Amino acid sequence: MAPVLDRIRVGSAPDSWGVWFPDDPQQVPWQRFLDEVAEAGYSWIELGPYGYLPTDPARLTDEVDRRNLKVSAGTVFTGLHRGPSVWESTWEHVSQVAALTQAMGAEHLVVIPSFWRDDKTAEILEAPELTSEQWGHLARGMERLGREVKETYGLDIVVHPHADTHIDTEPHVERFLDSTDSGLVNLCLDTGHYAYCGGDSVKLIETYGERIGYLHLKQVDPDILAEVVANEVPFGPAVQRGVMCEPPGGVPALEPVLVAAQKLGVDLFAIVEQDMYPCEPDKPLPIAVRTRKFLRSCGA
């Protein structure tokens, strides 16, 4: 018998439809994404890359309402480890996304650190390890972002550890959490990215439970991951090889993650993301339907 996971609110995101960019000829049109995510049985969605979905709140509200959808979060990329000089440009971008997120009635802003290598070309952009000074900039910058986003837009930021960024492995994630204020900054735990970088999601939830503010559900194919790690394949090409796979075919097992999250005793979004950029337009919907059915079998 499946456990009762009544604190978990399941949704999906443009990412599961192969959408990584605001506009790209290889991606499905936004209308089709909205139609199909509703058809697959989800009621919650994320905004995805800013500009993919309509950015006019009235129009977007009409589009999601007609499909009985609601928005759980917006997403931004930031490079705050670079110090105070990037604050103004960061805030300009964050403000756009946060305003739309707030207007859609959502309460979370997912914050992804900038990539140290390009996700399309694999070009090395920065050193993969931060200096102590850069760690300080990152921690203080995220706290400032958390404070100002909350004060201005009423949103909670949740920082998303991500492959090919500076917050990726278990030591990096723990260092980040230990150096930031839980009243200002919490975590969006992405189960696939954390496994990709060698981390244990259940252990993280059990150790830092009060810092888990949001979940992304995905899995990695362990065989492809082993090959990716051995050959130092960048994240973008790894996705094209199918490293992020359809559950329940990969790791980590999602039911123990959801059970651990349920035990925290707080309401949590668990948004399905299966990185598939680029993908054939007819591929996402059947996967989304099967994934929703699988999550129901887990009790979510």
Side-chain angles (χ1 to χ4, degrees):
M1 185 174 165
V4 176
L5 302 174
D6 57 359
R7 307 304 293 267
I8 307 297
R9 291 172 287 181
V10 172
S12 192
D15 185 56
S16 293
W17 268 255
V19 174
W20 277 12
F21 303 100
D23 185 36
D24 188 297
Q26 298 187 84
Q27 296 174 171
V28 297
W30 62 266
Q31 296 94 333
R32 180 169 179 177
F33 159 68
L34 291 178
D35 288 342
E36 292 188 351
V37 74
E39 185 181 338
Y42 294 101
S43 54
W44 292 96
I45 61 165
E46 290 184 356
L47 295 176
Y50 183 77
Y52 174 66
L53 294 176
T55 56
D56 173 61
R59 183 173 184 206
L60 184 55
T61 297
D62 178 58
E63 295 287 351
V64 298
D65 284 355
R66 286 197 292 111
R67 297 168 174 89
N68 294 313
L69 297 170
K70 298 183 288 277
V71 174
S72 62
T75 303
V76 295
F77 284 85
T78 59
L80 293 169
H81 66 285
R82 298 184 187 120
S85 64
V86 301
W87 176 259
E88 293 303 325
S89 59
T90 300
W91 184 249
E92 183 179 356
H93 168 59
V94 167
S95 295
Q96 278 188 315
V97 181
L100 180 60
T101 304
Q102 178 192 43
M104 297 310 297
E107 297 177 355
H108 294 89
L109 190 67
V110 178
V111 180
I112 302 177
S114 56
F115 289 75
W116 53 261
R117 61 180 165 190
D118 190 276
D119 57 346
K120 267 194 168 179
T121 68
E123 176 192 357
I124 303 291
L125 305 172
E126 297 182 73
E129 289 286 336
L130 296 178
T131 65
S132 293
E133 182 182 32
Q134 288 173 319
W135 271 110
H137 287 321
L138 179 61
R140 302 293 78 75
M142 284 295 189
E143 288 179 333
R144 181 180 179 187
L145 191 69
R147 183 184 301 109
E148 299 209 12
V149 166
K150 187 70 171 179
E151 288 176 355
T152 309
Y153 298 102
L155 306 175
D156 293 321
I157 71 164
V158 282
V159 177
H160 182 322
H162 197 292
D164 287 358
T165 76
H166 296 110
I167 307 177
D168 50 1
T169 61
E170 181 177 310
H172 286 166
V173 170
E174 292 186 348
R175 179 171 182 172
F176 177 72
L177 289 173
D178 291 344
S179 60
T180 49
D181 182 346
S182 62
L184 299 171
V185 178
N186 285 305
L187 211 65
C188 168
L189 170 58
D190 184 301
T191 60
H193 279 278
Y194 202 49
Y196 184 102
C197 298
D200 180 331
S201 289
V202 171
K203 178 186 171 189
L204 187 68
I205 293 169
E206 291 176 346
T207 308
Y208 286 91
E210 75 284 354
R211 303 299 298 275
I212 307 299
Y214 200 93
L215 296 172
H216 278 172
L217 301 180
K218 64 163 70 88
Q219 289 187 320
V220 294
D221 181 310
D223 295 332
I224 297 176
L225 180 63
E227 176 194 325
V228 162
V229 171
N231 296 311
E232 298 183 355
V233 177
F235 180 65
V239 167
Q240 292 181 30
R241 295 185 187 196
V243 71
M244 297 298 180
C245 63
E246 178 182 345
V251 295
L254 292 181
E255 186 169 324
V257 173
L258 292 167
V259 168
Q262 171 76 17
K263 287 178 181 175
L264 296 177
V266 296
D267 292 333
L268 281 174
F269 282 107
I271 304 299
V272 176
E273 285 195 329
Q274 183 181 339
D275 294 326
M276 292 195 296
Y277 176 85
C279 71
E280 293 299 318
D282 292 337
K283 185 179 178 183
L285 178 58
I287 292 174
V289 170
R290 292 191 296 267
T291 301
R292 187 69 194 94
K293 183 178 179 182
F294 165 70
L295 290 172
R296 284 196 182 98
S297 77
C298 296

